[in-house]
Amino acid sequence: MKYLQNNCHPQLSDPSGERDSTSKDLGLTMLIDKGIGLSFFEELLQLSGQYTDYIKLGFGTTVLYPYDLLKKKIELAKSANVILYPGGTLYEIAAHQGVLKEYFDYIQKLEFDHIEISDGTIDLPYRIRRKTIQEALERGFTVITECGKKAAGSHFEVKDLERTLYSDLECGASYVIVEGRESGENVGIFNDKGLIDKEFLLDIETKIPNDIRKFLIWEAPQKKQQIELIQFWGRNVNIGNV
């Protein structure tokens, strides 16, 4: 959560008084860029940059932008103190095609600071996942990972999330994203109507302590899902794919 610079009284910017104003690592907001133009991107940062921590370039679109336009997006984001990074799908393509070194070289050349490592469309053994996280860290990237598959009907057990979370954090990942796709339906913690599995959340609350759970970012593209997560976890929850 960023410190807001709008000079209004705290009771107006946060009427509930429940958000943690002492930490920049709680209540994070990650937006997804599905391919918007430069003017829209700049206006987005002007209006909501102070409320935004991360912007993910979704669906492997990083390689579809003209190079100069992409560089400009990165510069604008950095000027607004927002972290722009390529989504995990592009990493998965690079890993599947056997061009991971070239991928790392490319995003370093573009001066991305963060990278997402995921296995939503590929099978990635834990030893390879851990090795890749470590390689990315050695190159100077801050690593965000993701847990869950993208295929419709894909859901996971609490033990799977728990194992991935602890393993990735141990390797040096900063956050672990819980898969929700851009639709928020029939994947991860959502059923085919976009409703959250509350039993899953209750199980998470029981098995993963808050000091570890705070490193999760919950993908929740639908407004009702964002509201439900805030109501369940509180206003310091990290939400993505907004």
Side-chain angles (χ1 to χ4, degrees):
M1 180 186 71
K2 293 187 174 182
Y3 295 99
L4 304 185
Q5 303 295 325
N6 51 17
N7 298 319
C8 70
H9 192 280
Q11 289 301 112
L12 296 177
S13 62
D14 179 21
S16 70
E18 293 180 19
R19 296 200 75 180
D20 187 347
S21 62
T22 64
S23 174
K24 294 185 179 182
D25 302 317
L26 297 173
L28 301 176
T29 300
M30 179 263 283
L31 308 185
I32 183 168
D33 178 344
K34 299 181 181 180
I36 60 176
L38 197 58
S39 296
F40 189 4
F41 187 79
E42 187 170 12
E43 290 174 356
L44 176 69
L45 290 171
Q46 289 173 348
L47 286 171
S48 60
Q50 63 177 330
Y51 307 102
T52 305
D53 300 281
Y54 298 97
I55 298 178
K56 176 195 295 193
L57 296 172
F59 322 126
T61 53
T62 303
V63 296
L64 302 180
Y65 285 104
Y67 185 84
D68 291 342
L69 188 150
L70 182 56
K71 285 285 289 184
K72 183 62 176 176
K73 274 197 170 185
I74 295 169
E75 292 168 6
L76 286 170
K78 288 183 177 180
S79 296
N81 197 28
V82 172
I83 296 167
L84 181 70
Y85 70 95
T89 299
L90 191 55
Y91 157 75
E92 294 172 29
I93 293 170
H96 182 69
Q97 297 293 337
V99 290
L100 198 55
K101 177 185 179 299
E102 290 78 2
Y103 172 59
F104 282 159
D105 290 342
Y106 176 65
I107 61 174
Q108 274 190 317
K109 181 180 178 182
L110 285 164
E111 298 184 344
F112 281 112
D113 300 317
H114 287 59
I115 186 173
E116 183 179 310
I117 293 172
S118 61
D119 57 0
T121 62
I122 61 174
D123 291 323
L124 191 66
Y126 265 93
R127 62 179 182 83
I128 301 298
R129 184 182 180 100
R130 292 172 66 90
K131 180 182 178 182
T132 305
I133 293 171
Q134 292 164 353
E135 288 177 353
L137 291 170
E138 288 170 3
R139 280 180 170 256
F141 292 114
T142 297
V143 176
I144 299 172
T145 63
E146 187 169 71
C147 178
K149 298 297 183 182
K150 295 186 180 299
S154 297
H155 300 279
F156 45 84
E157 301 293 331
V158 171
K159 64 181 180 180
D160 298 327
L161 176 58
E162 185 178 14
R163 179 188 179 193
T164 300
L165 175 61
Y166 277 97
S167 177
D168 289 0
L169 292 179
E170 182 183 37
C171 285
S174 295
Y175 291 95
V176 176
I177 298 171
V178 181
E179 178 67 71
R181 299 216 67 184
E182 76 284 357
S183 65
E185 295 180 353
N186 202 23
V187 68
I189 63 171
F190 307 114
N191 66 16
D192 58 0
K193 294 181 173 59
L195 300 177
I196 294 177
D197 182 349
K198 294 290 184 64
E199 292 299 319
F200 185 91
L201 298 186
L202 287 168
D203 206 4
I204 288 289
E205 188 174 37
T206 300
K207 295 182 177 177
I208 303 179
N210 185 57
D211 63 335
I212 300 297
R213 201 168 60 237
K214 68 182 182 181
F215 296 109
L216 290 172
I217 298 176
W218 303 85
E219 286 190 346
Q222 299 182 24
K223 184 171 69 173
K224 64 180 180 180
Q225 297 166 350
Q226 297 159 18
I227 292 171
E228 282 191 89
L229 286 170
I230 291 171
Q231 289 174 336
F232 188 91
W233 294 119
R235 288 166 173 79
N236 293 317
V237 65
N238 304 319
I239 296 178
N241 278 18
V242 175

